Amino acid sequence: MSDIKKVIKDKKTDLNPIWIMRQAGRYLPEFRKIREKHTNFIRLCLNSDLSAEITLQPLKRFDLDAAIIFSDILILPYGLNQKVEFVKNVGPILGDLNFNQMSKFTANFFTERINPVYKAIELVQNNKLTENKSTIGFVGAPWTLLVYMLNKKSPKQGLKKNFFEDKVLITEMLKIIEKFLKIHIKNQINSGAEIIQIFDSWAGLLNNKDLDKYVYNPTFSLVEFTKTLDVPVICFPRGIKDYKKYCDIIQPDVICIDYEIDPVQIAKNIKIPVQGGMNPKILLTDKENLKKEAKRYLDIFKDHPYIFNLGHGVLPETNPTMMEYLVKMVKDY
Ligand code: 1CP
């Protein structure tokens, strides 16, 4: 069993496994080299050999405990025939949403469209580099996907003015998203994913009164479904104010915390295994500071089942030597 699984299943507190959100891609020169030649990002995700190679790149360099599949949460709208493009220095731009068409798609149609993602998982899972490690599959949470599919671009500058206007469309879209997320989760598990992480990157955009409809209900349904397949679920509701309430309602196997939440309060109030927390910007400072901050998290979660990770994805400008230092430091703790 991998150390991550031991932390999740056996609630081990003496192990300090580590993996890093967005560890595949972005900051690695060997990734950039591949990316330069493959300008269409979705097409790159759908190239099983390259996707597997990129997934394994960080494991070749660092003693990480998991491989996270090189894909994207926006592979779901792509699988449902919504246009998805990644524009340099802008981010994702999505095409118009064709609800009538989407509501008619079958599981087979969707699975066929993104089948190379599943092939990549098989390749990664069968590679020697992932022996005794965990292969992590992932999805975007229903709310975060609804955001991209309706907003058609990143909500970094806010949601479009009439985002919540068409309540019927929103309700129906949430149902479709949930249905195909379950198919996507099941397919990933059938291909060898041993853990599923649900990224709710935009949970922090909602008011408390809207959390039931957009976050709690649909995410709980996904978590419950994944558990019936006997695979643990890690939830990352970035920006949510009340992590305790989130855990009480959703009951994930692991809660991944963002860097804005006080880890001391988390360690005190939350009983389930915890992952993450440290601000990715720390990796842009110096080794001494990095050691101090990483140690702070390790100390706080010393008697708690804890998987080391960051409080959001590793930043593209991160120097790989800082990552190397971090992984060694956590392993030697
Ligand atoms: O231009 C490039 O080279 C592409 C950059 C890139 C990469 C490497 C994107 C575009 N996606 C990915 C891979 C990716 N995305 C992974 C697999 C690799 C890994 O984790 O190591 C994962 C898990 C994701 C997840 C993802 N995609 C999230 C959730 C996590 C988070 O960071 O909040 C989100 C919100 C996306 C959307 C997305 N895809 C890419 C970008 C630039 C964005 C964010 C856009 C925005 O700011 O709204």
Side-chain angles (χ1 to χ4, degrees), residues 53-64:
E53 184 180 332
I54 295 167
T55 301
L56 294 169
Q57 280 175 345
L59 277 79
K60 284 186 185 149
R61 276 181 181 254
F62 320 119
D63 187 15
L64 295 158

Side-chain angles (χ1 to χ4, degrees), residues 184-227:
H184 190 32
I185 288 173
K186 192 168 182 186
N187 287 341
Q188 292 185 68
I189 291 171
N190 287 343
S191 308
E194 300 156 295
I195 295 172
I196 295 292
Q197 175 148 330
I198 301 176
F199 287 94
D200 213 348
S201 305
W202 299 106
L205 289 181
L206 287 162
N207 297 321
N208 278 341
K209 68 168 177 45
D210 293 324
L211 288 174
D212 277 335
K213 173 169 180 180
Y214 295 104
V215 173
Y216 296 149
N217 295 340
T219 311
F220 177 73
S221 173
L222 286 189
V223 168
E224 227 188 6
F225 172 78
T226 311
K227 285 179 178 172

Side-chain angles (χ1 to χ4, degrees), residues 211-252:
L211 288 174
D212 277 335
K213 173 169 180 180
Y214 295 104
V215 173
Y216 296 149
N217 295 340
T219 311
F220 177 73
S221 173
L222 286 189
V223 168
E224 227 188 6
F225 172 78
T226 311
K227 285 179 178 172
T228 65
L229 303 174
D230 208 20
V231 166
V233 198
I234 306 173
C235 285
F236 179 49
R238 184 168 74 96
I240 205 119
K241 312 289 174 305
D242 193 342
Y243 270 93
K244 167 91 169 68
K245 184 170 179 199
Y246 181 91
C247 289
D248 288 345
I249 295 175
I250 304 278
Q251 297 176 42

Side-chain angles (χ1 to χ4, degrees), residues 57-80:
Q57 280 175 345
L59 277 79
K60 284 186 185 149
R61 276 181 181 254
F62 320 119
D63 187 15
L64 295 158
D65 292 283
I68 178 144
I69 259 3
F70 180 79
S71 169
D72 198 85
I73 62 166
L74 300 181
I75 206 76
L76 185 117
Y78 172 84
L80 292 173

Side-chain angles (χ1 to χ4, degrees), residues 19-26 31 35 41 44-45 54 58 68-74 86-88 90-92 138-140 144 148 153-156 199-202 236 238 312-314:
W19 71 278
I20 302 294
M21 289 190 276
R22 314 295 287 269
Q23 67 187 24
R26 294 182 128 187
F31 166 74
R35 181 77 170 99
F41 180 73
L44 179 56
C45 291
I54 295 167
I68 178 144
I69 259 3
F70 180 79
S71 169
D72 198 85
I73 62 166
L74 300 181
F86 289 87
V87 182
K88 213 174 171 172
V90 176
F138 68 91
V139 293
T144 287
Y148 283 107
K153 61 174 183 173
S154 173
K156 266 183 188 159
F199 287 94
D200 213 348
S201 305
W202 299 106
F236 179 49
R238 184 168 74 96
H312 199 196
V314 56

Side-chain angles (χ1 to χ4, degrees), residues 20-38:
I20 302 294
M21 289 190 276
R22 314 295 287 269
Q23 67 187 24
R26 294 182 128 187
Y27 66 106
L28 287 178
E30 56 270 37
F31 166 74
R32 294 226 180 99
K33 218 172 132 195
I34 294 178
R35 181 77 170 99
E36 261 167 38
K37 280 194 238 135
H38 296 83

